[in-house]
Amino acid sequence: FPVTILLLYATTSGGCIGPASSALTVTISPKPSASISSPEAACSGASRTITANSDASSPVYVWQYSNDAGSNWSSLSDAGVYSGTSTSTLSISSTTGLGGLFYRYTVTSSASCSTTSNPAVIVEETAPTISPQPTSVTSSVNGSTSFSVDYANSPTADFQWQISTDNGANFTNISDNSIYSGSTSPNLAVNNIVSGLDGYKYRCNVFNNCGTVTSDVVTLTVSPLNPGTIGSDQTICSGSTPSALS
């Protein structure tokens, strides 16, 4: 935006106004725009790029990072996992251990005007970790019980319970039916238990887009029903009262 300013020399001698000075032109250059968006969350070790959005003419970029949530910043150089530190696109070959770091850039235009962008943050995701593990249970015939797992880390996880009928040699996925429910949830319910389930083994696969982890193997023990006793046989006369049964 050029602005022309005419400077005048004024004089009071005889009340006359002196001649005007030469014209002086001042050019006002706007600061360039500068913005970035945080890269999409991805699994630990994945590569990332962060792209500058700026309208600067003949821009000069300097990328920076902060490991204290933006309180202090240090300039980056092309080394290690970083490249493109003086271009519009910062490339990171592996984000392992970089979760939570902030990034920004300063762009300088051909008119030597500079602007610093907003910060972007690296979100590092990992495969789930199971805690706590499921535990073996004992139940009676016709009873009900359940196995449970939980997990840590991000992102959210999915579940698939499995069963082994050959002492753990092979496992197959469980589907919800009259006996099992919650086969794709953290809690597998076992209902209407029959004696044939005794000794069956169970485990759960917990997975997200960063990996799969398998739980400990646990066992269902089915206790048989004990009919007990109701005392001894009795012989009584008609009209008599039998002894109490126990």
Side-chain angles (χ1 to χ4, degrees):
F1 303 97
V3 177
T4 301
I5 301 175
L6 185 64
L7 300 181
L8 301 178
Y9 287 118
T11 178
T12 59
S13 177
C16 298
I17 299 176
S21 69
S22 59
L24 173 66
T25 300
V26 177
T27 301
I28 303 175
S29 298
K31 284 189 173 183
S33 62
S35 65
I36 49 175
S37 299
S38 294
E40 292 185 3
C43 301
S44 176
S47 61
R48 310 281 182 86
T49 58
I50 307 177
T51 301
N53 299 309
S54 178
D55 60 2
S57 60
S58 302
V60 175
Y61 295 95
V62 176
W63 284 90
Q64 298 176 311
Y65 79 97
S66 171
N67 58 11
D68 56 8
S71 295
N72 298 280
W73 294 89
S74 300
S75 295
L76 290 168
S77 59
D78 287 359
V81 299
Y82 298 109
S83 60
T85 56
S86 59
T87 72
S88 61
T89 300
L90 174 67
S91 296
I92 306 173
S93 60
S94 173
T95 57
T96 299
L98 302 184
L101 265 62
F102 283 54
Y103 295 87
R104 71 180 187 184
Y105 67 90
T106 295
V107 59
T108 302
S109 68
S110 58
S112 299
C113 297
S114 298
T115 303
T116 299
S117 73
N118 58 294
V121 64
I122 290 290
V123 177
E124 184 181 27
E125 297 180 334
T126 57
T129 299
I130 295 178
S131 179
Q133 294 280 353
T135 56
S136 297
V137 295
T138 299
S139 184
S140 59
V141 172
N142 297 326
S144 299
T145 190
S146 63
F147 300 102
S148 298
V149 295
D150 205 349
Y151 76 98
N153 295 344
S154 174
T156 56
D158 294 312
F159 304 84
Q160 177 62 64
W161 285 92
Q162 297 182 313
I163 184 173
S164 172
T165 60
D166 55 7
N167 200 36
N170 298 281
F171 282 86
T172 57
N173 290 343
I174 297 173
S175 298
D176 288 0
N177 53 35
S178 60
I179 294 178
Y180 300 108
S181 60
S183 58
T184 57
S185 76
N187 303 298
L188 175 69
V190 188
N191 305 299
N192 307 313
I193 293 175
V194 296
S195 59
L197 299 181
D198 182 49
Y200 281 8
K201 297 187 181 299
Y202 300 84
R203 69 185 186 185
C204 187
N205 288 330
V206 185
F207 55 95
N208 59 25
N209 60 351
C210 295
T212 299
V213 62
T214 301
S215 74
D216 293 345
V217 175
V218 293
T219 303
L220 172 61
T221 300
V222 181
S223 300
L225 292 176
N226 183 2
T229 60
I230 58 173
S232 303
D233 294 340
Q234 301 181 36
T235 301
I236 63 174
C237 296
S238 176
S240 300
T241 301
S243 300
L245 301 177
S246 61

